[in-house]
Amino acid sequence: MTNFKFRAPQPQPEVLGKLLIVQQTLGVLASKEEQAAFLCRALGDIPGVEDVHFCFFGSFVPEPIKLAGDAVCGYCTNTSPSFEIRRCCAVTNGCKESIALRASSGLYGFLILGINSRSAFAPYAPYVANTANFLATLLEKRQTKQRLQQVLSDLEDQVAARTADLVEKNARLEAEIARREAAEAALHEAYEQLERRVEERTAALKSSEERLQSIITTAVDGIITTNSAGVIELFNGAAERLFGYKASEVIGQHVRILMPTMECGYDANPIEAFVGADQGDIACLRRDVAARHKNGSVFPAELTVSEMEIGGERKFTGIIRDISERKWAETALRESEARFRAMAETVPDILFTSDAYGRIEYVSPRFYELTGLTENSGGTDWVRAIHPDDCENVRVRWRKSVRTKEPFQAKFRLRAVDGGYQWFQVRARPIYDEGNCASKWFGTCSDIDELVRIQSALEEGDRRKNEFLAMLSHELRNPLAPICNAVQVLGLLDLPDPRLRWVKEMIERQVKHLVHLVDDLLDVSRFTRGKITLKQEAIELSEVIERAVEATEGIIKAQEHQLSISYPDEPVWLKGDSVRLVQILTNLLNNAAKYTPHGGRIDLTAVVDHGKVVVSVSDTGIGIPPELLPHIFDLFTQADRSLDRSQGGLGIGLTLVRKLVEMHGGSIEASSKGPGLGSEFVVRLPRMDITELRTQRGGAK
């Protein structure tokens, strides 16, 4: 009779793993309600659990549950529940289990589980209790942190209030001292001023006359003074240079000889307009006028007129400046703006400008043609045309660029007239004035919709390629296993026929080659999907080299190559995955052996240089063409080979080598003098620090 032994159900590893991940995730959630809701969803997947709730003394998560007896739990009405409570009194149903959320500082609630199968739930009960204790610890930490923050806030308020009071008293004291010192200084100054005033007034009058005369003589602008009848009384040196007259030629003449009335589209002579007319006081009147040179030519000028009264008589003083260059600049500016608008309306891109604060001032008509918006729709209306998913990101980045004056660049979708969205690339740079301050922004929006679609198609093709490689490599491994087993069985048989032995050896070689290719495909698939992980450990460089040489000894001997090995006598330690480090050197040695003609030479050299371990693998093989060197580590890259194609691979070995080297924090580079001149691959890896090595060894002991 067969005896059946009852075996207690074991917890599922994936469920336990999920509970571990749940504990790691709880710490990043903001509130206990979020933590409870997240834990309810996670614990609901445990076998035997029908529903999950949390009681926080007055509130339930995720929703109220049916209470046993009273509508409100008796403990929930108590603001300070007893630390010794073992169960939630709201749960009396035998199918529900409550676990106290208890920590060293108090009781924070209960985890209420609806159990539909206690036998299925039993293996997970300790882990669920552990998770509940973990949550209670988090709640205790949050409560402690809140209390500490409140105490710190109260202390800061007290310190701030005391400091403000002291500052205020000190300010009053300093103000009183300053007031008294100022009063004393004012009395002393007043006494001294009384002594100097008589002398200063006399000197001031003389100095004022001299300064006025100096200003009139040296002024850059022309200064003309007339009486109320318009007769010129003052004509300074700048006016002489401006009009070509000597002062003696125009003093006593009417001002009309200098500024003809209503010529060249300018306003009437403002001095003549006020001469002899009761227009009231003229504080400052400025306008552009036509001025006439002695030779008869007319030029634009800016005239500023003011009125004064001397000895009861009205006088008019005009300051005149030649503005020919300014008028030319204004004309050039208008022409430049016209050219800019013509260009903006011609190019297919959308052009725009904004002020220094990022407010849009101009957008080319192409934008309105695309979006259907009107030009008078407002300076911020362009935001409405951006796709809702892109809008906030564009606004945040634009504000940051305006604030930091960094060039702005973004990709977003604009809504077209037909309601569809098109991708655009926008770039904008600040325009700086003479003071090196950003005064405006200029930008362009380029239509990249077709480029984005092509890029998406390429990314989709790359994803499908990776999926195909993963599927292909897994599918190839399935038939390889029985073939390998069959070859091993044939090896155990004593095959009398030499032809059968030759066939067996040929199959064995090709199967090993195919297994190597499939392994490379699997590694590429893992790399592209981010599935490769390293088992970090301390390993001696000499051991890595010896294992790699051992793995490639067969092919090197078969090709009758001469292998030279050199590495430091003292121990050199590396930190990394020993299997992958051996794989790096094995691939490089294999490549050197395969692509070096029969009887060649291979050199493997390792040295320590400035904290780096430098390993070099060089050969006298077929070399690498110069045009291939920049792409030698790209996936599926192969050079034309003069050797037998059976020695070739898929062109993924060097890609794997570079990925593995970079994962170890190192770098690799290839060099060759050209076809037929051999090649060299140099790997640089960080050397393990002796302190870290001792720490790791001590921990292992």
Side-chain angles (χ1 to χ4, degrees):
M1 177 182 295
T2 304
N3 292 327
F4 293 92
K5 195 173 195 179
F6 176 76
R7 180 176 294 176
Q10 296 298 318
Q12 300 177 12
E14 58 270 21
V15 176
L16 297 183
K18 184 176 181 180
L19 286 178
L20 180 60
I21 295 174
V22 165
Q23 292 185 9
Q24 296 174 351
T25 308
L26 286 176
V28 302
L29 298 179
S31 65
K32 69 178 181 181
E33 287 76 16
E34 293 180 357
Q35 293 172 333
F38 175 77
L39 202 52
C40 285
R41 293 193 296 271
L43 296 180
D45 296 335
I46 295 177
V49 176
E50 183 178 11
D51 58 17
V52 183
H53 293 79
F54 279 87
C55 171
F56 291 115
F57 302 118
S59 63
F60 291 91
V61 176
E63 67 263 344
I65 63 175
K66 294 182 179 179
L67 302 178
D70 298 334
V72 179
C73 172
Y75 295 116
C76 294
T77 60
N78 187 357
T79 57
S80 301
S82 173
F83 183 84
E84 302 299 328
I85 298 175
R86 297 297 177 182
R87 292 177 55 85
C88 178
C89 73
V91 178
T92 59
N93 189 343
C95 294
K96 291 188 179 293
E97 186 71 28
S98 64
I99 301 175
L101 303 178
R102 183 179 290 106
S104 60
S105 62
L107 183 64
Y108 295 91
F110 291 91
L111 167 61
I112 304 173
L113 301 173
I115 310 299
N116 57 13
S117 174
R118 292 191 175 274
S119 60
F121 173 73
Y124 304 95
Y127 302 100
V128 173
N130 182 51
T131 303
N133 291 335
F134 182 78
L135 177 60
T137 303
L138 290 179
L139 296 175
E140 181 183 37
K141 289 182 178 180
R142 179 181 288 112
Q143 187 182 61
T144 303
K145 181 179 179 180
Q146 292 173 349
R147 291 174 178 173
L148 290 175
Q149 289 176 343
Q150 183 60 40
V151 171
L152 181 60
S153 177
D154 294 340
L155 289 175
E156 289 177 348
D157 293 343
Q158 294 176 9
V159 171
R162 181 61 177 167
T163 302
D165 182 56
L166 292 176
V167 169
E168 183 181 358
K169 291 180 178 179
N170 186 59
R172 289 198 299 267
L173 181 60
E174 291 180 350
E176 179 63 22
I177 294 173
R179 187 185 64 80
R180 294 186 179 184
E181 291 177 349
E184 293 177 358
L187 289 173
H188 182 71
E189 181 68 20
Y191 177 77
E192 291 181 349
Q193 287 180 356
L194 287 175
E195 294 179 346
R196 297 193 302 266
R197 184 163 298 174
V198 175
E199 298 177 359
E200 289 178 353
R201 287 199 173 185
T202 303
L205 289 174
K206 182 178 180 181
S207 177
S208 178
E209 292 179 356
E210 293 175 350
R211 284 197 302 271
L212 179 60
Q213 186 62 37
S214 176
I215 291 173
I216 294 174
T217 303
T218 61
V220 177
D221 297 330
I223 300 176
I224 303 171
T225 301
T226 70
N227 59 17
S228 57
V231 177
I232 299 173
E233 296 181 346
L234 174 66
F235 199 75
N236 73 340
E240 291 180 344
R241 293 187 295 272
L242 187 63
F243 288 94
Y245 290 102
K246 295 293 184 183
S248 58
E249 295 178 292
V250 296
I251 291 178
Q253 300 290 329
H254 198 276
V255 72
R256 192 180 296 112
I257 69 170
L258 303 177
M259 286 167 281
T261 307
M262 300 298 291
E263 287 192 27
C264 301
Y266 292 95
D267 294 336
N269 185 338
I271 295 181
E272 185 178 0
F274 283 92
V275 168
D278 188 11
Q279 300 287 344
D281 294 338
I282 304 174
C284 183
L285 177 65
R286 178 181 299 172
R287 67 180 58 171
D288 295 346
V289 299
R292 178 186 293 159
H293 195 270
K294 181 179 180 180
N295 60 15
S297 62
V298 178
F299 59 91
E302 180 186 78
L303 177 65
T304 303
V305 181
S306 59
E307 179 187 358
M308 56 185 174
E309 186 173 337
I310 300 177
E313 184 181 358
R314 295 173 69 194
K315 303 287 185 181
F316 297 93
T317 299
I319 300 176
I320 191 165
R321 176 182 301 171
D322 187 352
I323 58 172
S324 299
E325 292 185 0
R326 192 187 78 184
K327 289 294 183 179
W328 176 86
E330 291 174 353
T331 303
L333 179 61
R334 287 194 297 271
E335 293 176 354
S336 175
E337 291 178 350
R339 286 194 299 269
F340 171 76
R341 290 186 178 273
M343 178 185 67
E345 294 173 2
T346 303
V347 297
D349 290 350
I350 298 173
L351 306 182
F352 68 91
T353 61
S354 76
D355 61 14
Y357 303 100
R359 292 187 291 263
I360 302 299
E361 296 179 337
Y362 170 78
V363 181
S364 62
R366 169 73 178 125
F367 173 79
Y368 302 108
E369 294 172 2
L370 175 71
T371 61
L373 299 175
T374 58
E375 295 190 24
N376 57 357
S377 54
T380 61
D381 203 57
W382 60 276
V383 178
R384 291 192 302 154
I386 299 179
H387 194 284
D389 295 342
D390 305 332
C391 184
E392 185 60 26
N393 179 51
V394 172
R395 291 168 68 100
V396 170
R397 295 177 65 177
W398 174 242
R399 290 173 184 152
K400 179 183 177 181
S401 294
V402 171
R403 185 178 65 256
T404 62
K405 309 307 178 189
E406 297 176 354
F408 173 72
Q409 182 172 343
K411 287 197 304 185
F412 56 81
R413 289 160 287 181
L414 280 180
R415 186 181 65 250
V417 178
D418 58 4
Y421 285 90
Q422 297 181 18
W423 280 99
F424 278 81
Q425 172 83 43
V426 59
R427 294 183 177 88
R429 299 183 67 87
I431 300 174
Y432 294 92
D433 56 19
E434 296 178 354
N436 201 28
C437 296
S439 58
K440 283 184 177 295
W441 285 78
F442 176 79
T444 61
C445 293
S446 304
D447 188 348
I448 60 169
D449 192 68
E450 183 177 357
L451 179 62
V452 170
R453 297 181 190 278
I454 293 174
Q455 183 178 359
S456 300
L458 290 176
E459 292 175 353
E460 177 64 18
D462 185 65
R463 183 186 65 80
R464 292 182 178 180
K465 177 204 69 178
N466 294 334
E467 292 177 354
F468 171 75
L469 289 177
M471 179 185 68
L472 176 63
S473 56
H474 282 289
E475 290 297 328
L476 288 175
R477 289 179 70 92
N478 294 331
L480 280 177
I483 295 176
C484 291
N485 293 334
V487 172
Q488 292 178 359
V489 171
L490 288 175
L492 298 176
L493 300 177
D494 187 11
L495 300 176
D497 191 340
R499 291 176 298 177
L500 293 178
R501 289 196 299 271
W502 176 82
V503 171
K504 176 257 179 186
E505 292 172 357
M506 182 270 292
I507 294 175
E508 186 175 10
R509 286 195 307 273
Q510 297 305 321
V511 167
K512 287 182 179 179
H513 184 60
L514 188 56
V515 169
H516 178 70
L517 295 180
V518 172
D519 288 340
D520 283 350
L521 282 174
L522 278 173
D523 280 343
V524 170
S525 173
R526 294 189 187 104
F527 271 121
T528 55
R529 293 180 295 163
K531 297 294 183 68
I532 292 290
T533 57
L534 299 180
K535 182 182 178 182
Q536 299 285 352
E537 59 182 353
I539 183 171
E540 194 173 353
L541 174 63
S542 60
E543 181 181 350
V544 175
I545 294 176
E546 290 170 1
R547 287 165 58 181
V549 171
E550 180 183 353
T552 57
E553 184 178 6
I555 186 173
I556 293 175
K557 286 185 177 180
Q559 295 290 333
E560 297 184 358
H561 294 319
Q562 181 182 354
L563 176 62
S564 172
I565 304 173
S566 173
Y567 55 84
D569 296 332
E570 68 276 6
V572 177
W573 292 89
L574 300 171
K575 182 179 181 181
D577 191 318
S578 60
V579 175
R580 296 299 185 181
L581 290 173
V582 172
Q583 182 180 356
I584 292 171
L585 295 186
T586 301
N587 276 348
L588 294 178
L589 289 173
N590 266 328
N591 279 355
K594 287 191 296 184
Y595 303 131
T596 298
H598 194 78
R601 178 181 175 86
I602 301 173
D603 294 318
L604 192 157
T605 306
V607 297
V608 177
D609 182 25
H610 297 89
K612 297 283 186 180
V613 178
V614 183
V615 182
S616 168
V617 178
S618 59
D619 57 60
T620 58
I622 63 174
I624 305 172
E627 64 273 11
L628 185 64
L629 268 177
H631 311 286
I632 194 66
F633 295 105
D634 294 347
L635 192 61
F636 304 127
T637 297
Q638 291 179 312
D640 293 335
R641 300 190 179 96
S642 59
L643 297 181
D644 186 0
R645 185 68 182 96
S646 64
Q647 296 294 331
L650 298 176
I652 60 181
L654 289 179
T655 302
L656 292 175
V657 168
R658 183 180 65 176
K659 293 288 187 183
L660 290 173
V661 170
E662 291 175 350
M663 290 182 68
H664 283 85
S667 63
I668 183 171
E669 59 183 17
S671 61
S672 175
K673 296 181 179 179
L677 299 177
S679 58
E680 181 182 14
F681 290 84
V682 179
V683 177
R684 289 180 171 82
L685 295 170
R687 183 180 183 182
M688 189 174 187
D689 185 73
I690 189 64
T691 304
E692 184 180 0
L693 176 62
R694 291 173 178 170
T695 303
Q696 182 170 334
R697 285 185 165 182
K701 290 180 181 180

